[in-house]
């Protein structure tokens, strides 16, 4: 069974212009968007001029009480990726008695049934998934639906439970509004978190594959992130452990992030061990997920863990990330 959730299956879907240069962009100022203070989520979104035609999809389903990196993709209705929108998110805790209820827009385009104090705005920056040409794989280049960018903001979820999420999209002087799928904070409790030590798993190496890396990676050409066994290096040297399946990725971002890791490995491969772990047994989705994926209790892909030399997780990212984000995480554990 493919490792992905319906709520995030759109992240990398949709066509993109192969000639388009997708650049990272800082988040717009919070002052460009209405304050949520003293308002409900519905009241915030009703300040928009019209409903948005864009579709926003979270890149991972895992959130905890406190500050979270919140990544999401942005698409036109035909699933074409949008790499340059100005967006801020707002959140509100769903009432307990309505935790299974929905909310949406009525015939007038106004949002209703979104009670509860709104928190926000949380403006989103844009992180490009592009790499230098030398590190772009055929897998990514030949996939018309490969992810090109991820929108990222930091959201402080104040408690466990269902949280509803709205967005305002700024285009000139106009604001449009839309809803994202609700998220359940605290739903996943067994995934290794920052500050914890991960399971000590074995990962296949070049030696295990008798030199044929195509047996242990679905990237074309094979990446070089299988030189060491995670079991042997954990707690001895910083480690970048990436769970991803470029060929079978439901989110269409595994190919791009393995390319990203391959580029960062060029500059930091002597300071940290880079390990790419595929998702499916024998690289066959019909056989289910690998024991390593199950050991980490991962509900989606890709997943990144950056671990310090003491074997403690210092960065974890569910979903896509950029070269700059990975570089910053590696610098934090290598001191370089």
């Amino acid at each position: 069974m493919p490792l992905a959730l319906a709520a995030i299956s759109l992240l990398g879907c949709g066509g993109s212009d192969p000639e388009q240069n997708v650049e990272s962009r800082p988040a717009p100022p919070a002052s460009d968007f209405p304050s949520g203070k003293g308002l409900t989520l519905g009241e915030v979104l009703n300040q928009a001029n019209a409903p948005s035609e864009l579709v926003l999809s979270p890149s991972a389903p895992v959130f905890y009480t406190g500050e979270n990196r919140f990544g999401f993709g942005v698409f036109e209705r035909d699933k074409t990726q949008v790499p340059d929108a100005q967006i801020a998110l707002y959140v509100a805790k769903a009432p307990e008695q309505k935790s299974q209820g929905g909310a949406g827009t009525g015939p007038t385009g106004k949002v209703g049934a979104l009670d509860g104090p709104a928190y926000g705005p949380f403006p989103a920056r844009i992180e490009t998934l592009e790499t230098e040409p030398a590190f772009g794989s055929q897998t990514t280049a030949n996939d018309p639906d490969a992810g090109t960018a991820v929108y990222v903001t930091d959201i402080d979820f104040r408690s466990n439970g269902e949280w509803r999420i709205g967005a305002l999209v700024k285009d000139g002087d106009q604001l449009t509004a839309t809803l994202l799928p609700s998220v359940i904070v605290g739903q996943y409790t067994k995934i290794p978190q920052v500050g914890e030590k991960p399971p000590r798993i074995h990962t296949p190496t070049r030696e295990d594959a008798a030199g044929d890396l195509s047996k242990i990676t679905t990237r074309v050409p094979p990446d070089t992130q299988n030189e060491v066994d995670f079991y042997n290096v954990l707690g001895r040297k910083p480690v970048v452990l990436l769970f991803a399946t470029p060929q079978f990725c439901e989110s269409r971002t595994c190919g791009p992030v393995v390319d990203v890791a391959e580029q960062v490995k060029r500059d930091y491969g002597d300071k940290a061990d880079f390990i790419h772990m595929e998702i499916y047994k024998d690289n066959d989705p019909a056989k289910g997920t690998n024991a390593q994926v199950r050991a980490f209790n991962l509900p989606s892909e890709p997943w990144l863990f950056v671990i310090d030399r003491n074997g403690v997780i210092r960065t974890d990212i569910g979903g896509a990330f950029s070269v700059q984000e990975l570089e910053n995480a590696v610098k934090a554990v290598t001191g370089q």
Side-chain angles (χ1 to χ4, degrees):
M1 180 177 180
L3 184 66
L5 301 181
I8 64 170
S9 62
L10 281 174
L11 176 62
C13 296
S16 60
D17 183 351
E19 302 300 323
Q20 186 178 44
N21 182 29
V22 179
E23 298 180 349
S24 293
R25 302 187 182 198
S31 58
D32 283 357
F33 299 88
S35 171
K37 187 175 183 179
L39 302 176
T40 67
L41 183 56
E43 288 171 337
V44 169
L45 300 185
N46 281 337
Q47 295 183 64
N49 304 97
S52 177
E53 292 299 317
L54 300 181
V55 176
L56 279 57
S57 178
S59 61
V62 180
F63 303 97
Y64 306 104
T65 298
E67 188 168 283
N68 292 256
R69 176 190 183 274
F70 192 102
F72 59 99
V74 180
F75 309 89
E76 301 284 2
R77 294 289 176 180
D78 64 1
K79 299 184 180 180
T80 300
Q81 297 175 68
V82 178
D84 56 0
Q86 296 188 67
I87 297 174
L89 301 185
Y90 298 79
V91 301
K93 184 71 179 293
E96 294 298 330
Q97 68 272 23
K98 299 180 181 179
S99 60
Q100 302 301 317
T105 57
T108 63
K110 293 297 184 179
V111 178
L114 290 173
D115 300 327
Y119 300 98
F122 301 103
R125 68 183 186 272
I126 300 172
E127 297 285 349
T128 180
L129 305 186
E130 291 187 352
T131 61
E132 296 175 13
F135 298 97
S137 63
Q138 294 177 36
T139 309
T140 300
N142 293 336
D143 182 359
D145 294 337
T148 58
V150 61
Y151 290 69
V152 179
T153 190
D154 296 312
I155 296 179
D156 184 3
F157 292 112
R158 303 188 177 200
S159 62
N160 286 344
E162 180 187 354
W163 285 78
R164 292 170 178 163
I165 304 173
L168 290 178
V169 183
K170 182 176 175 61
D171 186 2
D173 294 331
Q174 299 293 305
L175 288 174
T176 56
T178 190
L179 291 171
L180 287 74
S182 294
V183 300
I184 308 298
V185 175
Q187 180 179 15
Y188 296 95
T189 60
K190 296 182 179 181
I191 301 170
Q193 300 179 40
V194 170
E196 299 178 350
K197 291 188 175 182
R200 199 179 193 97
I201 59 172
H202 284 286
T203 55
T205 65
R206 179 190 296 270
E207 183 177 356
D208 296 328
D212 184 3
L213 289 177
S214 66
K215 294 181 179 178
I216 55 176
T217 175
T218 61
R219 182 181 188 263
V220 180
D223 56 273
T224 63
Q225 300 169 54
N226 296 96
E227 300 299 321
V228 296
D229 183 345
F230 181 78
Y231 188 96
N232 296 331
V233 298
L234 180 65
R236 299 181 182 180
K237 188 177 181 181
V239 180
V240 176
L241 175 63
L242 175 58
F243 289 88
T245 178
Q247 182 177 350
F248 302 110
C249 194
E250 290 290 312
S251 71
R252 313 315 308 154
T253 59
C254 294
V257 297
V258 174
D259 296 350
V260 163
E262 193 76 353
Q263 177 173 324
V264 177
K265 179 177 180 287
R266 174 196 59 188
D267 298 323
Y268 295 93
D270 60 336
K271 303 175 182 68
D273 286 316
F274 285 68
I275 299 174
H276 164 212
M277 183 68 228
E278 283 281 339
I279 299 296
Y280 299 108
K281 184 178 180 180
D282 298 328
N283 294 334
D284 182 355
K287 294 184 178 181
T289 55
N290 282 318
Q292 295 90 338
V293 174
R294 298 194 300 273
F296 274 70
N297 296 289
L298 301 180
S300 59
E301 79 329 80
W303 271 89
L304 172 74
F305 297 91
V306 181
I307 304 161
D308 68 19
R309 65 183 67 255
N310 296 315
V312 177
I313 299 170
R314 296 304 177 191
T315 298
D316 64 333
I317 296 177
F321 51 87
S322 66
V323 167
Q324 188 62 60
E325 286 187 294
L326 181 53
E327 284 184 347
N328 291 341
V330 173
K331 289 177 182 178
V333 296
T334 62
Q336 301 295 322

